[in-house]
Amino acid sequence: MRSPGELKKEIEARLKGYLSRDRDGIRHELLNLFVKVKSLTIPQIYERLQKRFSISYHSIASMVGIIASRIGILHVRRNAEGTNSIYELKDQYVDVVAKILGTA
């Protein structure tokens, strides 16, 4: 099993790789939203990002899914009605994400 330090380094490497393929800034802005707001639903994210970018709802859902599953920095909660999942940036990764984005 990996130590917390090793895990943070792994997450940091995954984030850097993910953001290196960000041609138009959408991924940076998405992660920045999570640093600022902490917990969001896909419709809330879409509402904010579609003002600045030409992007589909499904593209945003896909990006959030990748960040949650492959990178592993989001916690997913189902709301009481079971309609929209709530995505939250895990507390232990807020500083890592902020540092990589240059907002720390």
Side-chain angles (χ1 to χ4, degrees):
M1 189 140 171
R2 290 181 258 188
S3 72
E6 291 172 330
L7 197 55
K8 274 196 176 183
K9 287 194 186 313
E10 176 70 25
I11 295 290
E12 198 170 323
R14 290 179 193 171
L15 267 174
K16 285 179 181 175
Y18 181 72
L19 291 172
S20 71
R21 297 182 301 277
D22 187 17
R23 290 185 299 278
D24 41 20
I26 295 172
R27 293 175 182 188
H28 279 84
E29 190 60 34
L30 175 61
L31 287 169
N32 204 20
L33 275 176
F34 278 109
V35 169
K36 290 178 184 172
V37 183
K38 299 285 188 278
S39 65
L40 295 157
T41 63
I42 300 293
Q44 290 171 330
I45 297 167
Y46 176 71
E47 184 180 309
R48 292 171 188 230
L49 291 183
Q50 60 98 23
K51 293 175 185 171
R52 289 191 50 207
F53 302 100
S54 174
I55 189 164
S56 73
Y57 183 89
H58 294 288
S59 295
I60 290 174
S62 176
M63 283 192 291
V64 171
I66 287 170
I67 293 169
S69 64
R70 289 197 184 147
I71 300 173
I73 60 172
L74 297 180
H75 176 72
V76 184
R77 279 190 299 125
R78 301 262 181 228
N79 66 0
E81 302 85 47
T83 51
N84 294 316
S85 295
I86 300 167
Y87 296 88
E88 297 175 330
L89 184 58
K90 292 179 182 176
D91 291 335
Q92 67 263 37
Y93 300 121
V94 172
D95 58 333
V96 174
V97 175
K99 184 178 91 175
I100 290 174
L101 293 174
T103 58

